[in-house]
Amino acid sequence: MVDGMHKGHGRSNAKVGAGHVVETQQFDRETIEKLFKLADSLEGVREESLKGKIMAALFYEPSTRTRLSFESAMLHLGGSVITMENGSESSSATKGETLEDSTRVVNHYADVIVMRHPEAGASARAAAVSKVPVINAGDGAGQHPTQSLLDLYTIRRELGRTDDIRIAFVGDLKYGRAARSLGYLLAKFKNIHMTFVSSEALKMGDDIKTYLKKHKVTYDETEKFEDAMHKCDVMYQTRIQKERFASQEEYQKFKGVYIINRKLADSMKKGAIIIHPLPRVGEITPEVDDSPHAVYFKQVGYGLLIRMALLKTILGGRKMK
Amino acid sequence: MVDGMHKGHGRSNAKVGAGHVVETQQFDRETIEKLFKLADSLEGVREESLKGKIMAALFYEPSTRTRLSFESAMLHLGGSVITMENGSESSSATKGETLEDSTRVVNHYADVIVMRHPEAGASARAAAVSKVPVINAGDGAGQHPTQSLLDLYTIRRELGRTDDIRIAFVGDLKYGRAARSLGYLLAKFKNIHMTFVSSEALKMGDDIKTYLKKHKVTYDETEKFEDAMHKCDVMYQTRIQKERFASQEEYQKFKGVYIINRKLADSMKKGAIIIHPLPRVGEITPEVDDSPHAVYFKQVGYGLLIRMALLKTILGGRKMK
Amino acid sequence: MVDGMHKGHGRSNAKVGAGHVVETQQFDRETIEKLFKLADSLEGVREESLKGKIMAALFYEPSTRTRLSFESAMLHLGGSVITMENGSESSSATKGETLEDSTRVVNHYADVIVMRHPEAGASARAAAVSKVPVINAGDGAGQHPTQSLLDLYTIRRELGRTDDIRIAFVGDLKYGRAARSLGYLLAKFKNIHMTFVSSEALKMGDDIKTYLKKHKVTYDETEKFEDAMHKCDVMYQTRIQKERFASQEEYQKFKGVYIINRKLADSMKKGAIIIHPLPRVGEITPEVDDSPHAVYFKQVGYGLLIRMALLKTILGGRKMK
């Protein structure tokens, strides 16, 4: 299965060796389905299958949620964790060590590296020199493949399928990594229609649209939020990221445009779901939380299962010495 | 026993569900005695009773001592730990996530949450939405219930009783959370007399005095430190907290008023003890450390036992899946 | 073997009790050789010999590499870890607690303390009051004994011997702790010749030269880098530490003087090695990395083995309660 992860679709990278999880495109459908079945089987499980194995969480920018999720996943499987929480201020980085050298060093300390980095391509650079698998836990404007996998897994768990999906993406589609990455991943499935709901200034980029056309995914663009809510199977709400805007004024302008309130949630089709990569800061109002459509907190639990499944797949094959 | 923790005395909170440890008042005498007996039995123990269980230490303000104490307690019982060390600067909090949402997320990662927060009531807010037990590890001007429990446990271990106690509280009684909390806890026992020794500006608040009267605890207030030292069974010294004063000058004024030196320590009754929540910064001079009355470092070990006993009580009932 | 660690050579400290690892000079040759044999036997090993044991990593200044190395070593042996990552900004230190008090507190939480501190002598101060072993993981301008041990172990593994060594030290010999410490350690072995290559302003101090004369180690000083490269068995390259210079200009002046490039590496004797405490920031060019002489990344792995061997020696003797 580890091999199956690296058949290299999309802009996959020849330098990426066995076991690395660098970008969403590297997964083929068969591998994804195996991974999801494994995730299903790990629900509620605490085991010792990774006893003696060590995961290094190397976070060059803070991301508490993602870090705790990976660490918890490793501990659920009986493994151990070493952590660098804010690597950009770490002694090695401050002293001027390259990412490649840091990776070569940590290779001696851990069996797998989970890496978060503010620069796109950082994980691929690390993977290119690493002797142990590198899992990309978000690299700036680049990718966050385990987020896409858990988004898709949430859809599969809640809708019971990964084909025949009408999905709407809302919010910051220009800068938001999560929506873009899931777009790439869904393109591997059948009969997918995407609706992009955004302000003109935050529209989905042309690169992904070209990719979708090539992979026979249909899409439309609209500013009509209500209409998209009625029609979709999946509403992917995202946070307008304050840190992406030059001024507080500009941020405020876009922040309030697309908010899901209870009335809008209630207008959704039966069985339709609202997902969100979290944290939310107002783009879904609290009274939506107990709507049957709201699955964004269950999504966190699905994310734990996906990360457990990935760690188990990557590390389980190697025997404890 | 977990149930016994929540009979709700004092200003206990109806929203607080099973297993949470939110405030000192929630414990009844029977529960406390069971907890202390369990703590006794854990002295010197390393076990695997919590193997497979995960504790999340969510610290929204740094408190190294308290964090390491809880983490060590969990590890002594064979459990594992995930840690957020400075949550107020964490990515989620910075991005504007509510404490409630963060709690809902971490519910998927851990079996128990130990929470430190700068705002009073934060733990109760977290407990109100949490599906796993929340232990308050200090919430600003609010409470620090495990500190009170370990203070009382120290008294019980060193004096052999929790009734018939003459205790003097010294230092910053106005802002100091530790002395106030222990006051609430002692009110559950018999024949307690409290002496409050402080400068006029740092006097114990009226709220707790009203509480004591209601619970038949006698007390007096004095500025005569030496006299209190001679008479008490327990001298509870506290640090004058620099961070509570507007100016360095004002802090310096109060800092040097009540210092326990060796001569004062030697004037205590046989068997009387000096306790302190630590860190100390001069209010007990180093030559007191090897006095038979000085138990403030032993107190740290008692604290570990109390936290082990709490974690074992809260988590031990649930079986490993 | 723990006893053998404390026969006290050089400026060893009478206050240092059993099990502490405070300075390079405390180790005698027999102890070092036992430690190296144990390290040999731990290659590729994951075991549970330290199950139930807790290591506290108390870092009063950040040092990600050293911290992760010790933590990984402890986890490889089945032990657990509690961590204070940036202690100088920790709550206890900020509130004014002494290092001695902090040590007394952590004594209740851990079976061994690994301490990094910006002040020389800090580890010895901690060891003087600690009831559990303290391992010095670098104390400012003082020592970093486990670095010296791993440097020597690297030499032993790569050259097959610790006597009859011609070693050149290059770079910042005045401020660089690593080169100085290894100098002290090598003085315990036979037929050692040292060459100090540095700019006039960064020359090796007189204290160590006096020590070497007393211990019958020959040495010479030169600015001729190429010549030293040809003749040595071991080239110890070190980083010019930016943080030691008053101005950026002065740092730049010294930074570029002694750089090992591929041509220089190729001029070395057969079997000769280049070692480096890392991180490097340009003083060894990347094309040297796959030279047979380059062992600085293998050195990281040897460091893990040395720290495993130390922890096992120190903690292995005590039984799990």
Side-chain angles (χ1 to χ4, degrees):
Chain A
M1 186 169 174
V2 173
D3 293 337
M5 280 186 189
H6 304 287
K7 289 181 181 165
H9 296 249
R11 56 185 177 103
S12 174
N13 188 332
K15 284 181 298 181
V16 174
H20 303 303
V21 175
V22 173
E23 55 176 18
T24 302
Q25 297 94 308
Q26 78 182 64
F27 294 92
D28 59 24
R29 183 168 181 151
E30 191 192 336
T31 307
I32 292 168
E33 284 170 357
K34 274 189 193 164
L35 190 73
F36 285 2
K37 269 180 199 153
L38 180 57
D40 289 346
S41 76
L42 291 170
E43 177 122 33
V45 164
R46 309 282 169 114
E47 58 179 43
E48 300 210 282
S49 57
L50 298 190
K51 189 172 171 176
K53 293 285 193 293
I54 299 171
M55 180 187 101
L58 301 187
F59 278 57
Y60 286 86
E61 66 177 9
S63 178
T64 312
R65 173 190 320 279
T66 302
R67 181 175 62 78
L68 295 184
S69 175
F70 272 108
E71 292 184 1
S72 180
M74 190 65 181
L75 296 174
H76 271 75
L77 298 169
S80 304
V81 176
I82 55 176
T83 299
M84 179 179 74
E85 213 178 329
N86 196 349
S88 298
E89 296 172 10
S90 80
S91 50
S92 301
T94 306
K95 289 171 184 164
E97 183 170 66
T98 64
L99 181 66
E100 284 80 0
D101 274 13
S102 296
T103 302
R104 287 179 186 113
V105 167
V106 176
N107 271 210
H108 291 280
Y109 303 153
D111 302 294
V112 61
I113 293 172
V114 172
M115 182 173 285
R116 176 82 163 210
H117 202 283
E119 290 167 30
S123 290
R125 280 171 53 207
V129 301
S130 183
K131 288 173 187 167
V132 305
V134 173
I135 300 178
N136 182 357
D139 56 350
Q143 296 237 359
H144 192 358
T146 62
Q147 178 69 48
S148 311
L149 288 169
L150 80 86
D151 291 338
L152 183 61
Y153 182 59
T154 300
I155 293 170
R156 149 78 150 63
R157 287 289 295 255
E158 295 293 325
L159 265 58
R161 66 183 191 274
T162 48
D163 295 314
D164 310 306
I165 306 284
R166 236 189 130 82
I167 182 168
F169 294 97
V170 184
D172 178 357
L173 306 183
K174 186 173 177 190
Y175 302 109
R177 181 177 53 192
R180 297 172 58 83
S181 286
L182 180 57
Y184 281 115
L185 194 60
L186 275 171
K188 296 178 189 296
F189 295 85
K190 291 177 208 158
N191 192 23
I192 306 295
H193 181 81
M194 301 185 184
T195 299
F196 302 129
V197 187
S198 75
S199 307
E200 183 63 28
L202 299 176
K203 280 176 73 170
M204 186 63 88
D206 285 336
D207 53 342
I208 191 165
K209 290 182 203 161
T210 305
Y211 186 88
L212 294 176
K213 277 176 202 158
K214 192 176 147 197
H215 289 79
K216 305 200 169 81
V217 175
T218 59
Y219 67 86
D220 62 292
E221 295 185 88
T222 179
E223 296 193 13
K224 292 183 189 164
F225 189 29
E226 289 77 4
D227 196 43
M229 287 292 290
H230 303 329
K231 290 182 189 161
C232 68
D233 302 306
V234 180
M235 170 55 64
Y236 197 130
Q237 174 66 294
T238 60
R239 183 172 63 93
I240 305 291
Q241 298 177 65
K242 191 165 48 182
E243 55 270 36
R244 303 288 182 194
F245 293 90
S247 71
Q248 182 67 15
E249 289 73 36
E250 207 178 345
Y251 166 60
Q252 289 299 339
K253 197 173 93 189
F254 290 111
K255 197 173 100 88
V257 181
Y258 298 114
I259 290 174
I260 301 180
N261 56 28
R262 185 63 193 236
K263 195 181 150 203
L264 269 174
D266 288 343
S267 77
M268 294 182 83
K269 288 198 292 187
K270 184 158 186 277
I273 59 174
I274 303 164
I275 64 176
H276 191 298
L278 302 181
R280 65 163 167 186
V281 292
E283 62 276 1
I284 302 175
T285 60
E287 85 268 10
V288 177
D289 293 0
D290 59 3
S291 154
H293 302 291
V295 302
Y296 34 89
F297 288 119
K298 285 175 81 178
Q299 199 176 348
V300 176
Y302 295 141
L304 182 76
L305 295 178
I306 282 295
R307 283 164 184 146
M308 287 172 72
L310 273 173
L311 289 168
K312 189 164 172 156
T313 302
I314 289 170
L315 293 174
R318 298 198 284 166
K319 290 294 165 221
M320 188 168 152
K321 280 175 276 190
Chain B
M1 186 168 175
V2 173
D3 293 338
M5 279 186 189
H6 306 284
K7 287 179 183 167
H9 295 247
R11 55 185 177 103
S12 175
N13 189 331
K15 285 180 298 182
V16 174
H20 303 302
V21 175
V22 171
E23 56 176 17
T24 303
Q25 296 95 308
Q26 78 182 63
F27 294 92
D28 59 23
R29 183 169 181 150
E30 192 193 336
T31 308
I32 293 169
E33 284 170 357
K34 273 189 194 164
L35 190 72
F36 286 1
K37 268 179 200 155
L38 180 56
D40 290 346
S41 76
L42 291 171
E43 176 123 34
V45 164
R46 310 281 169 115
E47 58 178 43
E48 301 210 284
S49 56
L50 298 190
K51 188 169 170 177
K53 293 284 193 292
I54 299 172
M55 179 187 103
L58 301 187
F59 277 57
Y60 286 87
E61 66 177 8
S63 177
T64 313
R65 175 190 319 280
T66 303
R67 181 175 62 80
L68 295 183
S69 174
F70 271 107
E71 293 184 0
S72 180
M74 190 66 182
L75 296 174
H76 272 75
L77 297 168
S80 304
V81 176
I82 55 176
T83 299
M84 179 179 73
E85 212 178 331
N86 197 350
S88 297
E89 297 172 10
S90 79
S91 50
S92 301
T94 305
K95 289 170 185 165
E97 184 170 67
T98 64
L99 181 65
E100 284 79 1
D101 274 11
S102 296
T103 303
R104 287 178 186 112
V105 167
V106 176
N107 272 211
H108 291 279
Y109 303 153
D111 302 294
V112 61
I113 293 173
V114 173
M115 182 174 285
R116 175 84 163 209
H117 201 283
E119 290 167 29
S123 291
R125 281 170 53 207
V129 302
S130 184
K131 290 174 187 167
V132 305
V134 173
I135 301 178
N136 182 357
D139 56 348
Q143 295 237 359
H144 192 356
T146 63
Q147 178 69 48
S148 312
L149 288 169
L150 80 86
D151 291 338
L152 183 61
Y153 182 59
T154 301
I155 293 169
R156 148 78 152 62
R157 287 291 295 255
E158 295 293 324
L159 266 58
R161 64 183 193 275
T162 48
D163 295 314
D164 310 306
I165 306 284
R166 239 189 126 81
I167 182 167
F169 293 98
V170 185
D172 177 357
L173 306 183
K174 187 173 176 190
Y175 301 110
R177 180 178 54 193
R180 298 172 57 83
S181 286
L182 180 56
Y184 280 115
L185 195 59
L186 274 170
K188 296 178 190 294
F189 295 85
K190 291 178 208 157
N191 193 23
I192 306 295
H193 180 81
M194 301 186 185
T195 300
F196 302 129
V197 186
S198 74
S199 307
E200 185 63 29
L202 299 176
K203 281 177 73 171
M204 187 62 89
D206 285 336
D207 52 342
I208 190 165
K209 291 181 202 161
T210 306
Y211 186 89
L212 295 176
K213 278 175 200 157
K214 192 177 147 197
H215 288 79
K216 305 200 169 82
V217 175
T218 60
Y219 66 85
D220 61 294
E221 294 185 88
T222 180
E223 296 194 13
K224 291 183 189 164
F225 190 30
E226 289 77 6
D227 196 44
M229 287 292 291
H230 303 329
K231 290 182 187 160
C232 69
D233 301 307
V234 180
M235 169 55 65
Y236 197 130
Q237 174 67 295
T238 59
R239 182 171 63 92
I240 305 292
Q241 298 176 65
K242 191 165 48 181
E243 56 269 36
R244 303 288 182 193
F245 294 90
S247 72
Q248 183 66 16
E249 290 72 37
E250 208 178 344
Y251 166 60
Q252 288 300 337
K253 197 173 92 190
F254 290 111
K255 196 172 101 90
V257 180
Y258 298 113
I259 290 175
I260 301 181
N261 57 27
R262 184 63 192 235
K263 196 181 150 203
L264 270 174
D266 288 344
S267 77
M268 294 182 84
K269 287 198 294 188
K270 185 159 184 277
I273 58 171
I274 303 164
I275 64 175
H276 190 298
L278 302 182
R280 63 162 168 186
V281 291
E283 61 276 2
I284 301 175
T285 60
E287 85 268 10
V288 177
D289 293 0
D290 59 2
S291 154
H293 302 292
V295 303
Y296 34 89
F297 288 118
K298 285 174 81 177
Q299 198 175 350
V300 177
Y302 295 142
L304 182 77
L305 295 178
I306 283 295
R307 286 167 182 144
M308 286 172 72
L310 273 173
L311 289 168
K312 189 165 173 157
T313 302
I314 289 170
L315 293 175
R318 299 199 282 164
K319 292 293 165 221
M320 188 168 153
K321 282 174 271 191
Chain C
M1 187 167 172
V2 173
D3 294 338
M5 279 185 191
H6 305 285
K7 289 179 182 166
H9 296 248
R11 56 186 177 102
S12 175
N13 189 332
K15 286 181 296 182
V16 174
H20 303 303
V21 176
V22 173
E23 55 176 17
T24 303
Q25 296 96 307
Q26 78 182 61
F27 294 93
D28 60 24
R29 182 167 181 152
E30 192 192 335
T31 307
I32 293 168
E33 284 170 357
K34 273 189 195 163
L35 190 72
F36 286 2
K37 267 179 200 155
L38 179 57
D40 290 345
S41 76
L42 291 170
E43 177 123 33
V45 164
R46 310 282 170 114
E47 58 179 43
E48 301 210 282
S49 56
L50 299 190
K51 189 172 169 176
K53 293 283 192 295
I54 299 172
M55 179 187 103
L58 301 187
F59 277 57
Y60 286 87
E61 66 176 7
S63 177
T64 312
R65 173 191 319 280
T66 303
R67 180 174 62 79
L68 295 184
S69 175
F70 271 108
E71 293 184 1
S72 180
M74 190 67 181
L75 296 174
H76 271 75
L77 298 168
S80 303
V81 176
I82 55 175
T83 298
M84 178 179 73
E85 212 177 330
N86 196 351
S88 298
E89 296 171 11
S90 79
S91 50
S92 302
T94 306
K95 289 170 184 166
E97 183 170 66
T98 64
L99 181 66
E100 284 79 1
D101 274 12
S102 296
T103 302
R104 288 180 185 109
V105 167
V106 176
N107 272 210
H108 292 279
Y109 303 154
D111 302 294
V112 61
I113 293 173
V114 173
M115 182 174 284
R116 175 84 162 209
H117 202 284
E119 291 166 28
S123 291
R125 282 171 53 206
V129 302
S130 183
K131 289 174 186 166
V132 305
V134 173
I135 301 178
N136 182 356
D139 56 349
Q143 295 239 359
H144 192 357
T146 62
Q147 178 69 48
S148 311
L149 288 170
L150 80 85
D151 291 337
L152 183 61
Y153 182 60
T154 301
I155 292 170
R156 149 78 151 62
R157 287 288 297 254
E158 294 294 324
L159 266 58
R161 64 183 193 274
T162 49
D163 296 313
D164 310 307
I165 305 285
R166 239 189 125 82
I167 182 168
F169 294 98
V170 185
D172 177 357
L173 306 184
K174 187 173 177 189
Y175 301 109
R177 181 176 54 191
R180 298 172 58 83
S181 287
L182 180 56
Y184 281 115
L185 195 60
L186 274 171
K188 296 177 190 295
F189 295 85
K190 292 177 207 158
N191 193 23
I192 306 296
H193 181 79
M194 300 186 184
T195 300
F196 302 130
V197 187
S198 75
S199 307
E200 184 63 28
L202 299 176
K203 279 176 76 171
M204 186 62 89
D206 284 337
D207 53 342
I208 191 166
K209 290 182 202 161
T210 306
Y211 186 89
L212 294 176
K213 277 176 200 158
K214 191 176 147 198
H215 289 79
K216 305 201 168 82
V217 175
T218 60
Y219 67 86
D220 62 294
E221 295 184 89
T222 179
E223 297 193 13
K224 292 182 188 164
F225 190 31
E226 289 78 3
D227 197 43
M229 287 291 290
H230 303 329
K231 289 182 188 161
C232 69
D233 301 308
V234 180
M235 170 54 66
Y236 197 130
Q237 174 67 294
T238 60
R239 184 172 62 93
I240 304 292
Q241 298 177 65
K242 191 164 49 180
E243 55 270 36
R244 302 289 182 193
F245 294 89
S247 71
Q248 182 67 16
E249 289 72 37
E250 208 178 343
Y251 166 60
Q252 288 299 337
K253 196 174 95 190
F254 289 111
K255 197 172 100 90
V257 180
Y258 298 114
I259 290 174
I260 301 181
N261 57 27
R262 185 64 192 235
K263 195 180 150 204
L264 269 175
D266 287 343
S267 77
M268 295 182 83
K269 287 198 295 188
K270 185 158 185 278
I273 59 173
I274 303 164
I275 64 176
H276 190 299
L278 301 182
R280 65 164 166 184
V281 292
E283 61 278 0
I284 302 175
T285 60
E287 85 267 11
V288 177
D289 292 0
D290 59 2
S291 155
H293 302 291
V295 303
Y296 34 89
F297 287 118
K298 285 174 81 177
Q299 198 176 349
V300 177
Y302 295 142
L304 182 77
L305 295 178
I306 282 295
R307 285 166 183 145
M308 287 172 73
L310 273 173
L311 289 168
K312 189 164 175 158
T313 301
I314 289 170
L315 293 174
R318 298 198 284 164
K319 292 292 164 223
M320 187 169 153
K321 283 175 273 191

